Every structure is written in structure tokens, then in C-alpha cells.
Amino acid sequence: MKENILIIGGGAAGMEAATQLQKMGLTPIIVEKSEHLGGHIAQWDRLFPAFHPAKDVVDQMLNQVKDVKTYLNTEVTDIQRNSDGFKAILSNNETIDAKAVILATGFDIFKAERKQEYGYGIYNNVMTSVELENFFRTGNDARINNPKKIGFVHCVGARDVKVCNTYCSKVCCTTALKQACEIKEVFPDAEVYTFYMDLRMFGPGYEDLYLKTQKDFDVKCVRGRVCEVSEDMDGKLVIKAEDTLFGKPLKMTLDVLVLMCSMEKNKSIDVIQQKLGVANNSDGFMQNKDMYLGMNGTAQDGVFVAGACTAPKSLPDTIGEARSVATQVFNYINSK
Amino acid sequence: MNSQIFHPFVLPFVLGMAFVLTYCLVGLIRVILQLPKDDRKQFLRSLVTPKTAWANIRDLFGDCLFHVKIWKRNPLLGYMHSAIAFGWFMIIVIGHIMLFTLKPLEGVEVEGFARTFTNFYYPIFFKYFAEETPVFAFLMDFFLLMIISGILIAVVKKIHSKIVGVKRVTKFGFADNMIRFALWTIFPFRLIAEKTNIMAFWWLYSIDLLIFMFMLPFTRYMHIPTEALFILMRHAGLNAREPRKGYALAQLYSCPSCGLCIDACPMSVNDKMSGNTSAYFMKKLRNKDSDEAKRIAETCLMCGKCVMVCPVSIESCDIKFSQRAAVPYEIHSDHSYLDVISTEAQRSGEISSKDKVLYFAGCMTQLTPKIMRAMKQIMETAGEEYEFLDKDGGICCGRPMLLSGKTAEAQAMIAKNTELIKKSGAKKLVLSCPICYKVFKEEYHLEGIEIQHHTQYINELIKNGKLKVNKTDVNYVYHDPCELGRAFGVYDEPREVIENVGNLLKAKSEKELSICCGGSLGSFNLTQKERDEITSNSVADLMFNNPDEIVTACPLCLKTFARKSPVPVKDIAELFVVHQA
């Protein structure tokens, strides 16, 4: 039985789904728009909660998909349903016939410029969590110059009606604490503050990380949101926030401010998604069939979803979904 | 012609007329007595002041009879209103003139006291009692037909309102529908009665008049007599102080529920929200539905567009403010921090050169640092000596407290800001936020200090050569912030600035008719989803000519539009950063 399964997106979800489908005897084909597989996770340095190197996981995944037919720097430009399944046209003008389609298109990072009050793109020393992770990976960032005081702002672009995102982005809380510890490792004398609404430590070992952050790394967690950021004459950042546990406003001067940017739906797939007839949910992510038994299905027969294209997800969540989508697709093909 | 001076069919009319006159007289006295003492004096004095007296006469004719403002909006709608109002007025006037010209009435001798009594109803039923001369007969028929033509348009409008350019119309209850039916039938009955002299139609005509006049005080048609009083009070410069008393009451009764504000209201993006418009607010408040009136007053964005389009010039926003002020909202504010606040310059003792510009960013601009940064660059490039009044986070201008009717709290902040500004020694105050601008212009007493919004300031700097900019091919559209445009008529300066740096395209609705961004501080209880709908509609209006960028001059509009706009949204100050020569 050799049946083509088109997987759009070659991140964690796409790669893991391809691995499983291949083991099941189907023929997965990955179409990835960027020049490499691995998605966002390939840009990451270490993973929470145990500071495990991301490269380790990504390399294992890459190794598993080395025999899978993969198109890099390629996008699906058109897709149509026919009696055999789907016919997709790629940006390199090749055509793929597939029995089923898996959307594993993942997420985009919230554009921090949209929260102008945090000053990203205006003040030099405001950076995003992604840029900080890049610093950990490469050791290069002109903004990080032996900082004495560093702040983290949680929920940037998440749980915020003012940017039209009311959902929780799920992974930023734990990532912020992980990064806070890591920056303390690099600069042990620095003072590190995190500004949170509430800390959502939902997974195994996450709560332990929270305790460790405070006990071992002396990171100060402040419950309250940062309301505005400005720059003083020396180019340092002056932030205003509220400490809701003390019930008092506070003002603080920082060397670096890190914005924990949320996940947003990857909009580059919108046209193809529309052609496939898959709707969005109220958070703007893709709408799956239901939240429980139909989490990998969509309203359209033969169109499946996996990973962060339906909601913000952690890496373990995504891998789990990728494996489950493979089973769903396998059953779907067999029932035909 | 019937040789008699009385017939029982005049009784319904006489009864109705007596009722409505009594009601209006009592109402007039009540409204005047409800005015605060100072207002009453001001009102009575205005009646004998030549300038206001002239304005009174002009508007009594222009607004009550000719409906000039409705003509401007839609000629057919204007004709409909003035045909009925002016036609009716002329019939009454000509009727009375005929009484005097046909003296003594042919066939009937009425003298003395009886004459004044018959005068009361003679002009109304003239053709039954006396014969007209041909000229008058023609005039009477002409105006009667004019009224009927107006009514015909009204009937068509009821079925298909778009014919007069109206999308949404006010929804009426039983009484309003019934009196409307009475009004529509009065004149056809009169025409038939006059032409056929069938008694039944004289009776119908008279009974119709009774129904109309009896229901008048309880329906929207009360605007006919009340509008005259309202015009006089408006010209006296009164302010609505209590939501259902005095001047506000006169306005409530002057609202014809015409619904022109419904289409204008930014909330009318869907049926549900269109129930929050001023036409309904006035109706609910008038009918003492205080829960609904309170809700609508709190929902309103206070953009002022309904006031701008109102053919009667009813100041509905002011009434909503007075409604808000009447509710004791639980706001416990602590203003003890005001005592310790000073500016940087004051702390360092660097006061002051005379040509200094004082810049007040305000809290909304503090949240949009790009604007602050652009303003700094502008003032520095222009070589202006300036002081940044709220660099370390100053005091609020007072607007949010004013919006919630908390005058005393607002005054505490206003007093402290006034002190800081006066101490600075500056001669000019520049503001980036139209919300602040409105408060500084209206509530502050800063004699000798010029208050400018930064659109005006930047335009002035470009004009006198202090700022040099490059003109490019970028297509801009400008959004008029409510509190800069409608409130102060600052329409030209921002447009001049934009024309200096790029092409200015038109939005679908501009200037006075500009649509609120949806982010207004004015509303207390619109949900984010409802606001988003308003914003999307406003953005679509701005995108009418496919501009490359949207430019506004209010930090709140900027933030609100940025959420929904398909193209970049910039403050007018940011344009300088891009186009600096």
C-alpha cells in the first residue's frame, strides 16, 4: 500500500507525523516553505523544564525523516479536491496527488511592535524572547552588554483584548522562567525580574522549575503587568508596572527588557486553508472537528490538522498530536 | 357657503386646541421655573438682546418652518418636512388674514365678543362658513396640496426609507404610529370636505384634529411647539444641568425622533447596537425609562456626530453627561499625590525663558512612545526651546473623571496642572492628544498661554520654515479625531501638513462626518467585540480610496486603528520623521 499523504509544514508536527506515517507504510510528502526542516524549534537553544538542548531533539527528528520526500523553499500555491483525493500545485510548478492532507503549519510569533507601549523597535534595549533565545544559541547580541538589571514581561500579545488575542499562549510562562534562569547563569550578578499575571506551570516538572527559579537563581517574580516603558538619558529603560500583591505601582530602571511574545496563527497558509474549506476558531487558529476525539480532524473529509496550527502548544503536545494524526490518517486511508 | 356661525363639528377641534394650549402653557412655565436662577436670568435677558433676538427669528423660521438643515442633508427629505410644516403654517396664516380681509363675513354678521370666539375656529373650517376670494382660494388650495404632497412622500418613506437617503429609521410604539396616521389623514379629509361639503368629512377632519392635538404632548410631535422654546434657550447659551429638568427637558420634547442620528452613529454597524443611538436615548429618558436611559448614556462613545447631524441641533451628548453626573458611581480616588508633583525644570530651578514651548504628552501618548519621540525630534530640529511637562509621567488632564461626571475630582487635577503650567512661564502649550486638547481648551483657565494641538503646531513650524520636509508619492488618508474635528473644527491644519509630504486622499466620510475609531474613552460598557465592529467599519470607510497609509492625530485612534487596519497607521507627527528634508 503506497498512498501519498501531503504534509504542509516541516516543523515538529510535520516531521513527527511523516515519521509515523512512513512506519505505517504510507508515503508522506513534506512541503516546507523555509530552507530547513525543524520549524521554530530548530531556532531554539534549550527546552524547558530541564534545559535539554533543542538541537538534540531536532537532530533525532531530522534523522527519522531523512528518507521522506521533502520539498524545501516550497509552498503549496493551489490545491483542489478530485475523485482520488487532492491535487496540489507547488511553487516549483510540480504537482502532487495525495489521498489526504495534513496541515501542520504551526504558528507565527506575535509582532511585538503592536504593543507600542513596550517600546519594541523604538528603544534599543527592548528585545523579544526569540531574540534572547538566539543570544543563548549564538552568544551574539549587541543589546546584551553585561546587563545589571533585566526584566521579563509575560503575556505580550496573549490574554490581551487590546490586541484582539484573548487566549493564553501556554508556553511563555515556563519559557520566561527558563530564560530568566539562563540569563542568571550567564550574568550571575544581574538582577532579574519577571512581570506576570499568573504563572501557568501546567506540566510535569514545571512547578519545580518555578521554585528553582526563585530559590537557586534568585529571580524576582512580580505579579502585575508592565504598563509603559520609556528611555532615560543614558538609554536605560524606565518601566512602570503594578505589583498587585503589594497593591502598589512601581517604577524601575532596567538595562534589558525581554518581551515574552505569544503565538499567533500562521497566516501564510490562509489561502490554501480557505481553498480546503477549513475555518478558523474564535482565537484565529484553525478550527478542528472537536476538542476531544476529533482534535485531528476538520470539517472537511481527508483534511487533517496537527500541532500549533489549531492553538498554542508545547513541544510534547505537538509531538503527541503528530502521532495521533498519523493514526487518524492511517484509519482514514484504510476505510476508503 | 353656510349662513351660520357655528356647527357642532367644530367642537372636537376646539376641545383639542384648548387642551394642547393649556398643556403647552403649563409646560412652558414648568420648564422656565426648573431653570437654575442664573440660567433663567440669562434666558430672559437673551430674549431682549438684539443679537440673540435676531438669531432667534432667523432660526425660528429657518429651522421650524423651512427645515434648512434637512434640506442640506437630503432635498427630498427637506421638501417633505417643509411642505408639511410650512404649508400648514401658511394655511393658518392665510386663514387668519382672510378673516380680516372679508370683514364683515358675507352672510353672517358676527360682532364683538362672539367674533373673537369664532376667530378661533373659523380659519380652520373656513370653506364651510364663508366664501374665499379667488386669490385666497387659490393660495389655500395650493398650500393644502403642498401639504398633501409632503404626506405622500412621508408614506413612501415609511415603506422605503432609502428614497430620502435614510437607511435606518426610528422604531415607534403604538401612540407614535397612531398620531402619525392621524396626521396623514387630516389634510386629505379637509380637501374632500372642502370640495364635496359632505358633513361626514367635516366631522372626520375635526375629530382627526382632536386626536392629533390630544396625543401631541405624549408623542414625538410635541417637538412642533417645543422646538420654538428650545431655539430660544439654545441661543441664550444655556447648558443642560439635570437630565430631565429645564433646558434638558425642553430638548427631550424637541427631539422629533426623526432618526437622522441613527445612520450617523458609529454604533449603527448592526441592529442591536443601533438601539444605543441618541434618538432612542431621548425617547427613553423622556418616557422615564431611567434604566435604559442610564445604560445608553453609559454606552455612548461621545463622538458628537449625532449632535452634528441633528436637524434640531439637540445637544444630546450634554444631556448624557448630565445623566451620568446624576448617578453616584462608586469611584474612590485618592488624589493626595497631587501635592508632591513638580516638573523636572521646577526641581532643578531652571525657570524660564519667554519663548519656551511646553509639551504635554498625556497618558495616551505615553503609551505610544513613537509619537513622543517624533515630537522631541520635531522640536529639536525646529530649534525650539521646550520643556516636557509630563516626562516623568504627569497628572491626567481630567477628562476621564469629567466623562464619568466626577467634576470635583477632575477639578483637583485641573488645578494642579494649571499651577505647573503657569509656573513654567511658557507662552505656548502643545498637546499630542485631542482628548487633552479638549479639556485644556474648555476647562482650564490659562490666560496668556496659547494652546495648540500638535497638528497645528507642526503646520505652523512648516509654514514659517522651521521644519523642512520632502514631498513624496505616498497616498495618505486622514482620519479626523472626534475631539479635534467636530469639537474644535481643526480640519485644515492636519491636511496641510499631509499635503506637504504626500498625496492626501479622501475618506468616504470626512471632517464633520468622520466616524469614531471605536476606542473612545466615552463609552463605559461597550464590549471589545462591539468596539471591534465599530473600528472595522471606520477603517473600511478610511480605506475607500485605497490609501497606502492611514494618518490620524490622536494616540487613542492610532492604537485602535492599528488593531484592524490592513495598512500602516501613523500619527501625523511620525510623518515628519519619515519625510524630514
Side-chain angles (χ1 to χ4, degrees):
Chain A
M1 188 180 71
K2 281 284 179 188
E3 305 278 11
N4 282 351
I5 311 296
L6 172 63
I7 300 175
I8 307 178
M15 286 198 294
E16 184 60 25
T19 305
Q20 301 302 329
L21 287 168
Q22 199 173 38
K23 286 181 183 167
M24 290 164 175
L26 300 170
T27 311
I29 299 168
I30 298 177
V31 178
E32 166 59 43
K33 70 172 177 185
S34 78
E35 57 188 21
H36 64 85
L37 288 176
H40 291 278
I41 209 74
Q43 312 293 316
W44 224 241
D45 183 43
R46 286 191 286 174
L47 304 173
F48 63 69
F51 303 94
H52 191 91
K55 192 171 185 312
D56 192 27
V57 181
V58 176
D59 285 348
Q60 284 183 52
M61 289 177 124
L62 285 172
N63 190 41
Q64 286 174 329
V65 296
K66 60 179 188 293
D67 299 330
V68 172
K69 187 167 187 191
T70 301
Y71 293 89
L72 294 179
N73 293 315
T74 310
E75 285 182 62
V76 178
T77 52
D78 192 18
I79 193 156
Q80 265 155 11
R81 193 188 280 277
N82 56 29
S83 55
D84 288 335
F86 299 89
K87 188 183 199 77
I89 298 167
L90 307 184
S91 53
N92 59 8
N93 293 325
E94 281 188 46
T95 307
I96 293 177
D97 290 305
K99 291 283 176 202
V101 178
I102 298 175
L103 296 167
T105 50
F107 63 93
D108 266 343
I109 302 283
F110 174 80
K111 297 222 170 353
E113 294 89 337
R114 275 167 57 196
K115 286 295 280 183
Q116 208 190 111
E117 55 267 50
Y118 292 153
Y120 181 76
I122 302 171
Y123 308 128
N124 277 338
N125 293 340
V126 181
M127 62 195 304
T128 66
S129 45
V130 180
E131 289 164 348
L132 180 63
E133 197 69 28
N134 191 52
F135 165 76
F136 291 137
R137 203 159 56 89
T138 63
N140 289 325
D141 197 306
R143 291 168 286 196
I144 301 178
N145 182 19
N146 198 18
K148 294 278 174 283
K149 241 175 167 181
I150 301 143
F152 287 83
V153 185
H154 288 241
C155 302
V156 176
R159 302 173 72 192
D160 184 352
V161 286
K162 291 185 176 167
V163 294
C164 309
N165 292 348
T166 50
Y167 55 86
C168 164
S169 199
K170 200 167 182 182
V171 300
C172 341
C173 280
T174 334
T175 305
L177 297 187
K178 182 204 75 131
Q179 292 188 334
C181 295
E182 288 173 317
I183 200 109
K184 275 292 257 193
E185 279 179 347
V186 187
F187 305 106
D189 298 332
E191 284 179 53
V192 178
Y193 295 85
T194 73
F195 296 90
Y196 68 94
M197 282 201 267
D198 46 6
L199 286 168
R200 301 192 162 177
M201 300 289 123
F202 59 93
Y206 297 8
E207 190 68 21
D208 293 337
L209 173 68
Y210 174 42
L211 294 176
K212 194 169 150 169
T213 309
Q214 296 174 90
K215 275 162 86 179
D216 300 347
F217 290 91
D218 195 26
V219 170
K220 292 177 182 68
C221 299
V222 181
R223 194 186 80 178
R225 296 192 96 161
V226 173
C227 62
E228 56 187 77
V229 179
S230 55
E231 209 172 33
D232 69 7
M233 286 195 315
D234 310 323
K236 293 200 174 193
L237 300 167
V238 181
I239 63 154
K240 283 191 215 162
E242 185 184 5
D243 187 329
T244 55
L245 292 177
F246 282 102
K248 286 238 158 80
L250 66 85
K251 201 168 170 182
M252 191 183 276
T253 306
L254 298 171
D255 297 310
V256 173
L257 186 69
V258 183
L259 306 180
M260 303 309 299
C261 292
S262 69
M263 297 185 192
E264 282 192 326
K265 193 264 182 105
N266 174 4
K267 292 195 175 69
S268 64
I269 194 65
D270 281 1
V271 176
I272 297 300
Q273 183 193 341
Q274 223 166 19
K275 283 190 172 154
L276 287 170
V278 177
N280 282 340
N281 62 24
S282 58
D283 292 338
F285 287 86
M286 288 183 198
Q287 178 70 59
N288 50 12
K289 208 172 196 173
D290 69 56
M291 290 164 88
Y292 311 103
L293 294 173
M295 66 175 174
N296 292 120
T298 64
Q300 303 300 327
D301 191 51
V303 182
F304 297 85
V305 283
C309 62
T310 55
K313 287 191 181 83
S314 67
L315 182 60
D317 288 347
T318 300
I319 293 171
E321 271 206 6
R323 290 182 178 176
S324 96
V325 83
T327 320
Q328 297 301 310
V329 172
F330 181 77
N331 293 340
Y332 171 76
I333 298 290
N334 282 348
S335 69
K336 282 274 164 181
Chain B
M1 190 184 73
N2 303 271
S3 297
Q4 57 192 101
I5 57 162
F6 176 78
H7 189 282
F9 71 66
V10 305
L11 280 177
F13 162 75
V14 173
L15 205 66
M17 197 65 199
F19 171 75
V20 87
L21 284 178
T22 316
Y23 192 98
C24 288
L25 189 68
V26 172
L28 175 72
I29 294 167
R30 211 171 127 228
V31 165
I32 291 177
L33 286 180
Q34 279 173 350
L35 289 177
K37 214 174 162 192
D38 292 347
D39 281 6
R40 194 157 55 230
K41 258 192 198 157
Q42 194 180 330
F43 172 58
L44 295 175
R45 205 179 304 127
S46 81
L47 295 178
V48 291
T49 311
K51 206 177 146 197
T52 39
W54 162 242
N56 284 341
I57 293 166
R58 187 194 61 209
D59 280 7
L60 281 174
F61 279 91
D63 289 356
C64 298
L65 288 180
F66 301 116
H67 297 93
V68 177
K69 286 180 196 146
I70 310 179
W71 275 93
K72 278 184 196 157
R73 189 178 156 106
N74 181 302
L76 193 60
L77 198 62
Y79 174 76
M80 179 187 111
H81 281 85
S82 34
I84 300 173
F86 181 64
W88 200 350
F89 175 77
M90 286 313 286
I91 283 188
I92 296 168
V93 170
I94 295 170
H96 279 90
I97 295 171
M98 284 191 303
L99 269 188
F100 292 103
T101 52
L102 300 180
K103 184 162 53 161
L105 290 172
E106 282 178 48
V108 189
E109 297 295 331
V110 191
E111 295 297 337
F113 180 72
R115 177 78 184 247
T116 55
F117 180 67
T118 54
N119 282 1
F120 193 52
Y121 59 80
Y122 250 65
I124 311 300
F125 304 96
F126 204 87
K127 276 217 173 134
Y128 180 80
F129 294 110
E131 199 171 335
E132 300 147 324
T133 58
V135 176
F136 280 121
F138 169 77
L139 282 175
M140 287 296 260
D141 284 353
F142 175 78
F143 285 113
L144 189 56
L145 287 172
M146 183 173 168
I147 297 173
I148 291 174
S149 71
I151 287 169
L152 274 175
I153 300 172
V155 175
V156 176
K157 173 181 172 254
K158 170 85 177 86
I159 302 160
H160 190 71
S161 68
K162 282 201 180 119
I163 199 163
V164 290
V166 177
K167 220 161 82 189
R168 287 177 204 269
V169 291
T170 326
K171 294 187 179 96
F172 294 117
F174 173 75
D176 276 310
N177 279 324
M178 176 138 171
I179 191 173
R180 177 160 62 184
F181 189 69
L183 176 67
W184 285 356
T185 47
I186 289 172
F187 298 97
F189 282 154
R190 175 169 173 159
L191 186 70
I192 298 168
E194 283 182 356
K195 298 299 167 200
T196 62
N197 215 12
I198 298 172
M199 280 315 290
F201 281 99
W202 284 116
W203 273 102
L204 279 171
Y205 169 52
S206 182
I207 290 168
D208 237 5
L209 283 168
L210 169 69
I211 294 172
F212 182 77
M213 285 189 283
F214 183 74
M215 293 185 80
L216 184 107
F218 314 107
T219 59
R220 66 201 189 100
Y221 290 97
M222 190 62 189
H223 78 266
I224 299 169
T226 323
E227 191 185 346
L229 172 66
F230 165 60
I231 288 172
L232 304 184
M233 288 183 145
R234 179 159 57 87
H235 287 155
L238 303 187
N239 282 317
R241 290 172 203 250
E242 283 182 75
R244 278 196 101 269
K245 274 189 179 169
Y247 184 44
L249 193 63
Q251 298 195 55
L252 290 183
Y253 280 93
S254 297
C255 171
S257 295
C258 66
L260 287 186
C261 51
I262 300 180
D263 277 348
C265 180
M267 287 190 284
S268 294
V269 285
N270 64 38
D271 274 335
K272 189 173 158 262
M273 273 200 278
S274 73
N276 298 333
T277 44
S278 291
Y280 293 104
F281 170 73
M282 302 296 280
K283 226 167 109 172
K284 304 284 182 197
L285 191 58
R286 185 180 153 179
N287 296 341
K288 297 186 180 165
D289 184 348
S290 50
D291 286 352
E292 267 297 283
K294 175 173 175 287
R295 188 190 64 76
I296 301 178
E298 290 169 1
T299 308
C300 175
L301 294 153
M302 299 287 182
C303 74
K305 199 169 163 186
C306 51
V307 180
M308 195 55 85
V309 300
C310 179
V312 193
S313 303
I314 287 174
E315 292 146 1
S316 45
C317 285
D318 290 352
I319 302 177
K320 287 172 195 161
F321 280 129
S322 68
Q323 165 67 36
R324 287 181 180 187
V327 179
Y329 298 104
E330 293 280 317
I331 301 175
H332 301 292
S333 45
D334 176 5
H335 289 140
S336 55
Y337 67 92
L338 288 177
D339 295 337
V340 299
I341 291 195
S342 57
T343 65
E344 212 178 1
Q346 281 160 17
R347 282 194 297 277
S348 61
E350 291 170 21
I351 305 173
S352 70
S353 101
K354 273 177 195 159
D355 296 327
K356 190 167 64 177
V357 173
L358 199 58
Y359 176 63
F360 182 84
C363 14
M364 285 311 306
T365 313
Q366 298 274 5
L367 294 175
T368 47
K370 274 189 183 168
I371 303 178
M372 275 197 295
R373 180 173 265 209
M375 284 308 292
K376 264 179 160 174
Q377 193 179 331
I378 285 167
M379 291 185 286
E380 273 160 22
T381 313
E384 297 271 286
E385 190 192 338
Y386 72 96
E387 184 186 333
F388 198 154
L389 184 63
D390 57 341
K391 187 168 185 294
D392 303 326
I395 307 158
C396 169
C397 63
R399 176 78 168 153
M401 283 293 175
L402 287 170
L403 278 170
S404 51
K406 296 278 168 194
T407 318
E409 285 83 347
Q411 286 306 330
M413 290 183 269
I414 290 172
K416 182 69 191 184
N417 274 328
T418 306
E419 182 198 320
L420 292 177
I421 293 164
K422 288 205 162 156
K423 267 192 195 163
S424 79
K427 288 280 170 278
K428 185 185 273 187
L429 175 66
V430 176
L431 306 153
S432 275
C433 174
I435 304 167
C436 299
Y437 180 72
K438 183 178 167 77
V439 181
F440 278 99
K441 279 285 228 193
E442 289 179 347
E443 309 288 335
Y444 283 68
H445 299 288
L446 296 168
E447 290 75 14
I449 300 175
E450 188 187 359
I451 303 171
Q452 279 189 327
H453 184 260
H454 74 246
T455 48
Q456 300 166 310
Y457 177 62
I458 295 169
N459 192 40
E460 193 179 278
L461 290 177
I462 293 176
K463 273 193 172 163
N464 61 25
K466 285 189 174 177
L467 284 185
K468 301 247 183 299
V469 287
N470 292 322
K471 187 164 169 102
T472 60
D473 273 344
V474 185
N475 292 323
Y476 293 108
V477 66
Y478 177 69
H479 170 257
D480 290 285
C482 306
E483 303 196 299
L484 196 60
R486 271 188 287 274
F488 294 101
V490 181
Y491 297 122
D492 299 333
E493 294 94 328
R495 288 182 166 78
E496 284 170 22
V497 172
I498 294 172
E499 277 169 347
N500 275 311
V501 299
N503 303 322
L504 179 64
L505 303 183
K506 278 191 181 314
K508 198 171 164 198
S509 317
E510 286 206 308
K511 301 187 177 177
E512 295 88 352
L513 299 178
S514 153
I515 306 174
C516 170
C517 66
S520 165
L521 294 177
S523 175
F524 296 174
N525 53 16
L526 275 179
T527 65
Q528 193 60 46
K529 215 175 149 222
E530 289 168 328
R531 283 178 183 271
D532 284 349
E533 260 189 89
I534 296 167
T535 309
S536 297
N537 177 51
S538 188
V539 167
D541 192 275
L542 290 168
M543 292 302 294
F544 188 64
N545 282 320
N546 289 318
D548 302 322
E549 289 182 12
I550 295 174
V551 179
T552 185
C554 167
L556 184 52
C557 298
L558 176 89
K559 278 181 95 74
T560 312
F561 283 138
R563 297 146 43 85
K564 291 279 165 192
S565 168
V567 296
V569 186
K570 286 194 178 130
D571 185 87
I572 199 153
E574 291 176 56
L575 295 187
F576 172 74
V577 180
V578 185
H579 300 293
Q580 183 178 4

